[in-house]
Structure formats: C-alpha cells, structure tokens
Amino acid sequence: MHLKTYSHAFNLTFIYPYSIDLLLLASMEDYIKAGKIAAEVREHMRKRYHVGRTLLDICEEAEEMIRAKGGEPAFPCNVSLNEVAAHYTAEPNDSIEVRDGDVLKIDIGVHVNGSIADTAVTVCYNPSYSILVEAAEHALREAIRVARAGVKAGDIGRVIEHTIKSYGLKPVQNLSGHSIAKYTIHAGKSIPNIWTIGSFSLQQGEVYAIEPFVTTGDGSGLVYNGDISNIYSIVSRKRTERKEADTFLDMLWTRFKTLPFALRWLKDEDVNHAREMISFLLKKKVIRTYPVLVEGNNRYVAQAEHTIVPTMEGTVVITA
C-alpha cells in the first residue's frame, strides 16, 4: 500500500521573536548560506517518497544536492532506520532499501568554508509511529521558542522532556544537541533532551544544534553502541611509522580536515585498500569511528533538528 509520509514541514519563522541583530548576521554569512542549503535539501528529502529506494541512493542524492547548491557535506548523510537512532550512513554498494512501515531519520550537515549547519527530518511510512514524528517536531519548536542568549541548556532540556512526555512518549536521554564551531560539529557543549542541573547558558552569537530524539513509551529512553561503525574522523596527525598509512592519512586530512567522512567518499581509492588503511589507522588511534546508536529496547526512534544562533532578543534559526 502506498502510504503518504507522516511528517510535516516546520511552520517556523526565521527569527524568534521578529527582531534581528544585523551585525551578527553579517558576520555569519557562511553559516547562513550553509543553513539555507541544508534547509532546502532537508525539505526536498522530506517530500520524496523513499520506499523502495536504497539508503545509498538517498545519501548520494542529498550530498549531490548540497554540492550543487554551493556547499559541502559536513558529515556523511545519516540514514538511520527504525530502532537505529543515529550514525548509519550507506556503505559502498549498500543494498539496504527503505520498506513500507519504516521510520527513517535523515540527518544532513552542510558546511561553507567550515561554517556548519546541521538539520534532520524523520519520514515515517507507518501511521502507528507518526506520533513519534509529531512529538519530535513539537519538542523542537518549543525548545526554539524558549532558546535565547542567557537561557540554560538544562532549561531547554526541561521543555523538550515535558513536551515529549505529554504525548506518553520518552525522550532519548543520552542523546543531545550540541555546540558547533568552524570545522567542528560537536564543539564541546551539550543541549540535553531532558532537564539537567549545572548546565551552561547559551551565548549570543554561538552556534548550536537542538535535536530532540523520541522513542515509544515502552522504550528504554537510552541508546547503546551497535555493531556497525562506518563513519570516521581524524583525531591526530601523528606519524605511524608506516609510510603507506601516513600518506593515506595525509590524503584524508587534505580532503576532510577534522570533519567526519565515509568509505564511500573515497571513490578514487581501491575499496579493499582503503578499508585496510582505515582499520590500521583506527588501531593506531589517529582516526576514530562513530558506532551506530540503537535504542535500548529496540523501539523505534524519531528525530528533528535545527541549527540556531541565539541573540539577546531571540533566536536565529539558520536551517528554517
């Protein structure tokens, strides 16, 4: 049966409230451009009918659109199905298809000269789980409504948690939003999806991603590392005493700097050689990997995400 996608476009204004710091925006031209590209790609992917498509096709379409619009992927497009909350990207020649009844998270990152915008949408082909999508989007709207410079991250988490629980659902408590810096997706500060004490206050002009994750009422509300790890990033450029591996690492640095990458991006490398080099560099701890994150009770998960820049008056939503 052909099901329509049970997700809805955000009805968000660009600024909360309607004032704007023009000097702030002028200094963030690359972030604004990255956010515009990310929003356009997200909305295209939201409207597409993905049942029967491979995850590889979805990733490559999103990433090709980013490049065509003048950006670069800030990380491999995440296409996480059902109980997998995050961090799955397509393998080379990946044959996994989206099926009728699936819940698909599409997480998109765009950078322009290292300035990153991060956004996500959940497309749902099972009406039983459309409430997860509704709750994630509602929680994101409410979080953005209260976000501004000086607001504590824990208070944003309180709003997210309250909104999700009002649906009889659970937030995923060990996933969170995050600060963003040049060429750095996770810049050290976390915006929780539950209330926490001792949290930091949002700073004017800093960049943050807010991303509620929602699972069912009988879910654990936690994720754990799965068996698959196919996203990588460089953590050190120290020499390994193996010239071949050092040359490979230099190539990775030239292409990706500190940003995450995927094996399928190395199209001009022999895939078996690239796998062997990545395995070796992982053992030497000069690159790291990001395991897929799976809901603790294997319950389905939905996600929604925007990138914001708080001001004293409100919030610039650069991915609106």
Side-chain angles (χ1 to χ4, degrees), residues 139 142-143 145-146 151-166 171 191-199 210:
E142 291 300 303
R145 184 178 61 81
V146 301
V151 171
K152 287 190 174 295
D155 291 332
I156 296 174
R158 188 204 304 268
V159 169
I160 292 171
E161 180 178 16
H162 174 77
T163 303
I164 292 170
K165 286 185 173 179
S166 73
I191 299 178
N193 289 321
I194 58 173
W195 182 73
T196 59
I197 60 174
S199 59
I210 299 178

Side-chain angles (χ1 to χ4, degrees), residues 118-180:
D118 189 0
T119 190
V121 65
T122 300
V123 287
C124 177
Y125 299 102
N126 187 330
S128 298
Y129 294 106
S130 61
I131 191 171
L132 296 179
V133 181
E134 181 182 345
E137 294 182 347
H138 187 187
L140 180 56
R141 288 194 298 270
E142 291 300 303
I144 291 171
R145 184 178 61 81
V146 301
R148 65 187 62 204
V151 171
K152 287 190 174 295
D155 291 332
I156 296 174
R158 188 204 304 268
V159 169
I160 292 171
E161 180 178 16
H162 174 77
T163 303
I164 292 170
K165 286 185 173 179
S166 73
Y167 286 82
L169 304 171
K170 287 183 179 178
V172 178
Q173 59 184 285
N174 60 338
L175 289 177
S176 63
H178 48 91
S179 55
I180 295 173

Side-chain angles (χ1 to χ4, degrees), residues 14 134 153 176 181 208 242 258-259 309 312-313:
F14 187 56
E134 181 182 345
S176 63
Y208 305 94
R242 182 177 172 184
T258 55
L259 294 175
V309 181
M312 297 308 296
E313 294 79 27

